Amino acid sequence: MLNAKTPAGPLDSKWKNYKSTCKLVNPANKRKLEIVVVGTGLAGASAAAALGELGYKVKAFCFQDSPRRAHSIAAQGGINAAKNYQNDGDSVYRLFYDTIKGGDYRAREANVHRLAEVSGAIIDQCVAQGVPFAREYGGLLSNRSFGGTQVQRTFYAAGQTGQQLLLGAYSALERQVALGNVQMFTRHEMLEVVTIEGKARGIIARNLVNGELERHFGHAVLLCSGGYGNVFYLSTNAMGSNVTAIWKAHKKGALFANACFTQIHPTCIPVSGDHQSKLTLMSESLRNDGRIWVPKKQGDTRKPNEIPEEERDYYLERRYPAFGNLVPRDVASRAAKERCDAGHGVGTSKQAVYLDYADAILRYGKIEAGKQGTDNLPTDTLIAMGKKVVEEKYGNLFDMYEKITGENPYEIPMRIYPAVHYTMGGLWVDYELQTTIPGLYALGEANFSDHGANRLGASALMQGLADGYFVIPYTIGNFLADEIHVKAIATDHPAFVQAEQEAAERISTLMNVKGTKTVESFHKRLGKIIWDKCGMSRNATDLKAALEELKALKAEFWSDVRIPGAINEMNPELDKANRVADFIELGELMCLDALSREESCGGHFREEFQTPEGEALRNDADYMYVAAWDYKGNSAWELHKENLDYEVVKPSQRSYK
């Protein structure tokens, strides 16, 4: 049985009681303990900064040339927190409930409640760091709406919230680097976890500039390496985002949970052709004011502004009147796909829907006119005034759309379509964020813990900073308090030698294939298999076919991939080959996980299990558990289950109508 180490007692007291009773490490002993942090996005940078400030000796690794290039920088819309500045009924419980419900009742209650509890402190921390959150006229921080909620709890900095939050965490990290508490290793990629007597004791990292393998000891190892959405090839993730760090940990014994729970974001710029290597996200915050629609007539080729109001289908407002355009991402994505599959798609590909700001621009114009005490202004004047308001709130997003598409979204509705964005699955962790390998922790998107089968918008930044700033500084002490007598282990220890040898042999094997096909071609083929058969919808026939296709693809990859260059030099193709090899294996687990879960929930939509209205049909009697997979060798896994017990929230059919 998996032990989640959930503290006893009432839900709203668990975290408080835990902090009051967990083991502590005194300041003198902290200076003797070394911690390895892999990844320096929001989770990694905040964790490294917080642990360095506490006095631990921290080594932080990132494969970019600077932590500022972490994918966290791409987050646009905002970060959730239960501060109730709007006085609209928000609370810690409401945020907790919305998150549990949004995840379709497949998340652990205690972890989610803790996340809601610390959310307010995150905002205070970031404001103190100088993060320029938007403010109301009176000076209070501003909030806007996001999907899956009926309150305004999303704090934001225009359309670049992730960038501003990352700069705050980066500043805190660099301060600790300057003080000598954190040692920073850029252009380094983790290739192996080193375990000694069953505990994580370091990593093998490859210097991506000169190709050398390095050994690094740590009394504990934190994996903060993000999600695995690039298994689909086309996604909104940064091109370098990969699964390698957590996959290596998985193959060393860390269980991998809910691999099939991937999120499709409904608000992305549609695919324009086979030439594309990534997709661009248009923030969910745009659904705050924009209205989504398609023509009522199938195959309508008229320009959007030529289609009269009565011939438009605002399908989210029609199907989900209570939440309208602000339904959760999985619901909005499936609804867009259904309309396009039914022949109502727009654009040249017919795989898009409209996101229209005309109503919002006019509404804001009227509000501005009211502020000025002017009545009966011409519509053109109101529109001009409204555009200025929209530009202030979302301007950089509108500019980005125009640069990519060549269309002015102030004049013509945006065209959007769902795309892979986030992965709710990841390494299984307990309440302390520790994996099944003692001393090995996973934070942020690298773990599975807080979002269930679907993540609410603006909650990824919240989780990353919560884990790094406010959770791991307490929970890691519970492990390290018993490790203070362990002296730093020399990296000539046999475990380090063996781990480095395994990494070197794998690299050598890859380089010696000397086949005919590029790494990119294999990645594209992998992505098509996963998107077509384990994407927005899945069925048993397709999943079984995908498993066979993936086994064949893996065999072909290891016999016919071509990697130019040499090992002991900067070789991006070799780096990519390592990552794609891991992605192919991950793809197998994703399909196996999806095949074993005979229900629909959140981002996992099995076509065989849906209501007459086409909504997800959960099976709580048989599948109310976390699926945690144990790697047993080539294409083989064993399933372990963590049963989910809901003491406070009673699961019900999720409805946003």
Side-chain angles (χ1 to χ4, degrees):
M1 288 293 293
L2 291 169
N3 180 11
K5 297 182 187 172
T6 302
L11 184 64
D12 57 1
S13 301
K14 289 182 189 294
W15 180 232
K16 179 181 176 182
N17 292 340
Y18 177 91
K19 289 191 295 180
S20 300
T21 57
C22 65
K23 296 176 184 176
L24 300 177
V25 180
N26 81 45
N29 285 329
K30 283 174 182 163
R31 292 192 289 270
K32 302 174 186 175
L33 296 170
E34 300 180 36
I35 301 172
V36 169
V37 178
V38 179
T40 52
L42 281 182
S46 60
L51 295 171
E53 180 115 20
L54 286 172
Y56 293 106
K57 294 163 66 176
V58 180
K59 289 182 177 180
F61 296 79
C62 70
F63 60 72
Q64 302 93 341
D65 60 353
S66 166
R68 289 173 298 174
R69 293 191 186 275
H71 179 60
S72 301
I73 206 169
Q76 299 164 342
I79 175 171
N80 289 331
K83 278 187 169 291
N84 195 31
Y85 280 172
Q86 304 293 323
N87 199 29
D88 57 359
D90 200 11
S91 64
V92 166
Y93 179 83
R94 184 86 62 180
L95 174 53
F96 156 72
Y97 174 78
D98 286 345
T99 305
I100 288 284
K101 177 184 175 184
D104 222 351
Y105 305 97
R106 292 294 177 264
R108 190 187 294 148
E109 269 192 339
N111 286 63
V112 177
H113 197 278
R114 176 176 64 191
L115 178 65
E117 284 180 68
V118 305
S119 64
I122 296 171
I123 304 302
D124 297 339
Q125 169 97 352
C126 293
V127 169
Q129 289 174 339
V131 174
F133 286 120
R135 292 181 181 268
E136 301 288 1
Y137 178 77
L140 283 178
L141 297 181
S142 181
N143 293 109
R144 58 188 176 200
S145 301
F146 254 64
T149 71
Q150 291 180 305
V151 298
Q152 290 184 289
R153 66 162 66 100
T154 304
F155 296 78
Y156 63 97
Q160 51 183 252
T161 313
Q163 179 178 4
Q164 299 303 326
L165 291 173
L166 185 62
L167 288 173
Y170 171 74
S171 300
L173 172 62
E174 286 302 302
R175 178 173 180 271
Q176 296 305 314
V177 171
L179 291 171
N181 297 325
V182 177
Q183 189 177 4
M184 190 71 224
F185 293 85
T186 59
R187 294 290 191 191
H188 281 68
E189 182 163 26
M190 189 202 100
L191 295 185
E192 287 291 345
V193 173
V194 178
T195 58
I196 299 176
E197 296 180 355
K199 296 179 180 179
R201 292 302 191 197
I203 65 169
I204 303 299
R206 182 169 184 267
N207 183 320
L208 300 183
V209 176
N210 59 27
E212 292 181 2
L213 296 178
E214 301 175 3
R215 308 170 189 174
H216 294 276
F217 166 78
H219 288 88
V221 176
L222 275 56
L223 301 183
C224 313
S225 52
Y228 50 88
N230 278 348
V231 67
F232 290 89
Y233 185 68
L234 286 179
S235 84
T236 66
N237 288 186
M239 293 289 288
S241 296
N242 63 83
V243 74
T244 291
I246 60 174
W247 194 251
K248 299 304 186 191
H250 173 52
K251 294 180 79 169
K252 274 286 173 72
L255 301 192
F256 203 108
N258 297 341
C260 75
F261 285 173
T262 55
Q263 180 168 85
I264 315 296
H265 197 294
T267 318
C268 300
I269 296 178
V271 176
S272 60
D274 293 336
H275 63 283
Q276 276 184 272
S277 55
K278 82 176 298 294
L279 295 173
T280 303
L281 170 70
M282 299 308 298
S283 169
E284 181 173 312
S285 63
L286 293 173
R287 290 200 280 147
N288 188 57
D289 284 312
R291 300 180 72 194
I292 296 171
W293 63 276
V294 293
K296 288 183 178 178
K297 184 175 134 189
Q298 291 179 324
D300 198 325
T301 58
R302 289 176 292 175
K303 294 178 180 178
N305 293 341
E306 296 174 354
I307 301 176
E309 188 74 12
E310 63 272 13
E311 295 182 37
R312 301 179 179 187
D313 178 15
Y314 295 91
Y315 58 89
L316 290 177
E317 298 172 33
R318 169 174 56 82
R319 290 180 59 175
Y320 308 101
F323 282 72
N325 296 295
L326 288 172
V327 292
R329 291 174 176 178
D330 59 321
V331 176
S333 294
R334 283 196 296 273
K337 182 179 187 295
E338 185 275 329
R339 286 291 80 195
C340 291
D341 290 349
H344 298 273
V346 302
T348 54
S349 67
K350 299 301 179 185
Q351 292 294 301
V353 299
Y354 288 126
L355 176 61
D356 197 336
Y357 257 72
D359 284 358
I361 288 171
L362 186 59
R363 173 165 50 84
Y364 280 125
K366 291 178 179 178
I367 292 172
E368 289 302 298
K371 288 179 183 177
Q372 298 173 14
T374 51
D375 296 324
N376 303 317
L377 290 175
T379 300
D380 289 349
T381 303
L382 293 173
I383 289 174
M385 294 168 73
K387 281 181 182 177
K388 288 182 179 179
V389 177
V390 170
E391 184 177 2
E392 185 177 333
K393 294 184 75 172
Y394 308 105
N396 62 314
L397 299 173
F398 278 60
D399 293 342
M400 184 170 70
Y401 181 87
E402 185 169 9
K403 285 180 181 177
I404 293 172
T405 66
E407 297 176 357
N408 182 350
Y410 293 104
E411 309 290 342
I412 304 169
M414 294 182 190
R415 285 174 291 109
I416 58 169
Y417 193 71
V420 174
H421 178 57
Y422 187 90
T423 50
M424 284 75 66
L427 292 185
W428 183 90
V429 293
D430 58 25
Y431 187 75
E432 298 180 332
L433 305 184
Q434 189 169 218
T435 69
T436 46
I437 299 176
L440 181 68
Y441 295 79
L443 281 65
E445 194 177 354
N447 73 35
F448 87 99
S449 68
D450 292 357
H451 307 297
N454 173 64
R455 176 176 67 77
L456 292 184
S459 286
L461 305 183
M462 176 175 62
Q463 186 206 350
L465 291 178
D467 287 355
Y469 280 138
F470 298 107
V471 178
I472 200 66
Y474 286 95
T475 63
I476 199 169
N478 223 26
F479 171 76
L480 291 177
D482 296 326
E483 303 296 313
I484 58 176
H485 299 297
V486 177
K487 290 185 168 48
I489 298 172
T491 54
D492 59 0
H493 187 284
F496 279 94
V497 175
Q498 181 182 347
E500 181 182 328
Q501 186 176 346
E502 290 171 1
E505 287 175 355
R506 176 185 166 96
I507 289 172
S508 179
T509 302
L510 277 170
M511 291 299 296
N512 288 328
V513 173
K514 300 188 186 306
T516 62
K517 297 185 177 69
T518 65
V519 177
E520 192 80 353
S521 68
F522 282 104
H523 197 180
K524 276 189 176 182
R525 289 164 60 191
L526 167 66
K528 181 165 177 53
I529 293 170
I530 302 297
W531 176 252
D532 289 347
K533 297 182 169 64
C534 195
M536 254 197 288
S537 62
R538 304 95 185 260
N539 61 65
T541 301
D542 282 350
L543 290 168
K544 290 174 183 175
L547 284 168
E548 296 305 313
E549 291 176 39
L550 290 169
K551 288 175 185 174
L553 185 69
K554 180 164 66 173
E556 186 182 347
F557 176 87
W558 285 97
S559 62
D560 200 22
V561 71
R562 179 179 178 276
I563 305 170
I567 293 174
N568 294 317
E569 65 180 20
M570 190 170 186
N571 191 340
E573 280 299 293
L574 175 56
D575 305 335
K576 192 191 302 181
N578 259 311
R579 298 164 188 169
V580 171
D582 293 332
F583 273 140
I584 293 172
E585 294 180 353
L586 167 69
E588 291 184 84
L589 179 58
M590 288 172 64
C591 293
L592 181 64
D593 189 35
L595 188 61
S596 72
R597 189 172 283 276
E598 296 185 341
E599 64 164 353
S600 291
C601 58
H604 168 64
F605 191 77
R606 280 285 296 268
E607 294 166 6
E608 305 96 322
F609 307 101
Q610 55 182 301
T611 67
E613 296 81 26
E615 305 293 347
L617 185 61
R618 288 199 329 268
N619 179 352
D620 290 344
D622 298 322
Y623 294 96
M624 192 176 282
Y625 60 75
V626 176
W629 297 89
D630 188 2
Y631 182 75
K632 292 296 184 182
N634 189 27
S635 300
W637 285 270
E638 180 183 350
L639 175 62
H640 299 268
K641 301 175 182 179
E642 179 201 340
N643 292 323
L644 294 170
D645 298 316
Y646 289 96
E647 300 174 10
V648 175
V649 176
K650 299 307 175 190
S652 60
Q653 185 63 36
R654 200 168 49 138
S655 174
Y656 294 93
K657 296 182 178 181

